[in-house]
């Protein structure tokens, strides 16, 4: 139906929100290592793991506040306007970080930026999920992870270039200030984008919803398939018009919330935040002792994360969510266990800057880990939670999930440098690797396959918790036509 190019353009503009988050994540990892930054804020030249965790984690504390606000912002203003308002909030935070006269102002700036990014990240995921056709929904929503990876990669290489060419305060102020570029693109670009048609229907604005959906699908408002899709959205919203917190956490909704919340919680304990924020420390622990070499190796991490997201976006709506999750998590688990074993056998103190072939394999395992993340948890944590929740509880579950996300993201970012510094023998990697093994088992048993299923028909996925036994067949129109070998066949609505 229509030209899919339009939805890709819409998704790319919205996903500049992900690029903002990725750039901030990547920039701070390098800025924390710059001698000019340490000198300006009175940080010891050898570094301070506790202070590093505080500076990095201030963004997440702001994000936690944003998680509490976002249901109101995203439901009252709509996804589009909420993204625009919080782009301004993010830009204000960037300004304070760049020109901070003291560390307290730096904390405030990162907190304000985190508040804006938190609301933006949820709004973008909802916006893309609600605007996407079901046959490419995973790919469209997953673009957000590619944007995050792109932001991280650009930030890593910016840090590397700055470390080799600049000195003085401009060395850290320029990278922090460059965050305003994607923020301005997001703010201006969203001015030309339509509102979410599902949100417009929720507000009783059917004529505007039809116009918005026609614009997104690039077809006339009289198109029969378009009218059928709109009618199906309207019927679903009528059946699920209101919800209370009790209804959100009861009945079949409880199954959805448990899967979505568990997925988000686990994603924050995969160890990817340790890699994102503290790669230079990790490469130093492996034996790369030069700051510029650490940043160069970190830059490669960003490229791996960015480019390995692309094959995931291509196949996510072909092979499904579960196979990608199982394969990616397996790679991550094996990689971390190898790095842990290497660091236990060859402690950093004894490496003396000389790295053996096994040590270089340990560095490669960091890249393999990030590749595994980029094809699994990375894109799918943006795709799966929004698509498993019905419209009437989506705002509440988004808030609940965002609170978990930002809370445990803060804890992980805070404790990771302390783990790297204080637990010998690759302890951080043993811990995260063990988590990944249990996550792998959970994915196999509990994670549902949602490929190609219309949001309005997601109920059928949660009729049985035994996901490893479930085989869902979906018609070309997105309707479920078969569930397991002995399930009742449900005819397509268009049959």
């Amino acid at each position: 139906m229509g030209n899919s190019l339009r939805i890709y353009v819409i998704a790319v503009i919205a996903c500049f929100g992900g690029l903002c988050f990725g750039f901030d994540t990547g920039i701070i990892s390098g800025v924390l290592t710059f001698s000019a930054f340490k000198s300006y804020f009175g940080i010891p030249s050898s570094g301070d793991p506790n202070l590093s965790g505080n500076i990095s984690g201030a963004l997440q504390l702001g994000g936690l506040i944003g998680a509490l606000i976002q249901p109101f912002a995203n439901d009252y203003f709509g996804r589009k306007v909420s993204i625009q308002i919080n782009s301004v909030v993010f830009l204000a935070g960037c300004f304070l970080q760049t020109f901070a006269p003291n560390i307290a102002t730096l904390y405030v700036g990162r907190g304000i930026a985190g508040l804006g990014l938190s609301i933006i990240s949820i709004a973008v995921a909802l916006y893309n999920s609600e605007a996407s056709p079901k046959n490419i929904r995973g790919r469209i929503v997953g673009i957000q992870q590619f944007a995050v990876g792109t932001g991280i990669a650009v930030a890593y290489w910016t840090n590397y270039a700055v470390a080799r060419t600049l000195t003085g305060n401009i060395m850290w102020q320029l990278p922090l200030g460059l965050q305003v570029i994607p923020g301005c693109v997001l703010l201006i670009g969203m001015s030309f984008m339509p509102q979410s048609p599902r949100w417009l229907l929720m507000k009783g604005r059917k004529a505007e919803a039809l116009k918005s959906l026609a614009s997104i699908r690039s077809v006339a408002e009289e198109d029969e398939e378009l009218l059928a899709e709109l009618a199906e959205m309207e019927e679903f919203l009528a059946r699920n018009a209101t919800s209370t917190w009790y209804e959100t956490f009861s009945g079949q909704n409880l199954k959805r919330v448990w899967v979505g919340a568990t997925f988000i919680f686990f994603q924050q304990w995969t160890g990817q935040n340790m890699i994102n924020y503290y790669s230079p420390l990790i490469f130093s622990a492996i034996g790369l002792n030069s700051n510029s070499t650490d940043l160069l190796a970190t830059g490669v991490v960003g490229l791996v994360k960015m480019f390995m997201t692309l094959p995931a976006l291509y196949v996510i709506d072909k092979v499904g969510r579960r196979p990608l999750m199982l394969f990616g998590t397996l790679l991550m688990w094996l990689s971390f266990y190898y790095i842990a074993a290497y660091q236990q056998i060859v402690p950093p103190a004894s490496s003396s800057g000389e790295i053996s072939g096994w040590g270089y394999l340990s560095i490669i395992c960091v890249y393999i880990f990030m590749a595994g993340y980029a094809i699994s948890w990375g894109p799918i944590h943006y795709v799966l939670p929004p698509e498993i929740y019905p419209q009437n509880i989506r705002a509440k579950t988004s808030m609940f999930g965002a609170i978990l996300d930002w809370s445990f993201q803060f804890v992980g970012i805070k404790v990771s440098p302390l783990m790297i510094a204080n637990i010998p023998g690759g302890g951080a990697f043993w811990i995260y690797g063990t988590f990944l093994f249990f996550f792998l088992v959970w994915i196999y048993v509990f994670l549902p396959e949602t490929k190609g299923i219309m949001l309005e028909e997601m109920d059928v996925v949660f009729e049985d918790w035994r996901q490893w036994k479930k085989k869902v067949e979906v018609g070309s129109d997105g309707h479920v036509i078969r569930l397991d070998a002995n399930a009742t066949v449900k005819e397509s609505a268009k049959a």
Side-chain angles (χ1 to χ4, degrees), residues 337-349:
Y337 263 20
Y338 176 83
I339 297 170
Y342 173 78
Q343 289 196 0
Q344 187 162 32
I345 296 170
V346 186

Side-chain angles (χ1 to χ4, degrees), residues 10-21:
I10 291 171
V12 167
I13 294 297
C15 284
F16 265 82
L19 198 147
C20 291
F21 178 69

Side-chain angles (χ1 to χ4, degrees), residues 42 159 266 329:
N159 285 334
F266 284 173
T329 306

Side-chain angles (χ1 to χ4, degrees), residues 202 236-243 391-392:
M202 285 177 62
F236 180 79
L237 289 173
R239 294 198 312 265
N240 300 273
T242 59
S243 68
Q391 188 79 35
N392 64 317

Side-chain angles (χ1 to χ4, degrees), residues 7 22 41 59 87 91 125 148 171 192 222 238 273 295 300 302 304 307 358-359 381 422 445 448 456 480 488 495:
I7 183 59
F41 289 107
L59 185 90
S87 296
L91 291 171
V148 172
M171 186 181 189
F192 302 96
E222 298 79 17
N273 281 319
L295 292 174
V300 177
V304 170
F307 286 113
W358 299 111
H381 96 273
N422 298 315
V445 176
E456 287 74 23
V480 175
T488 301

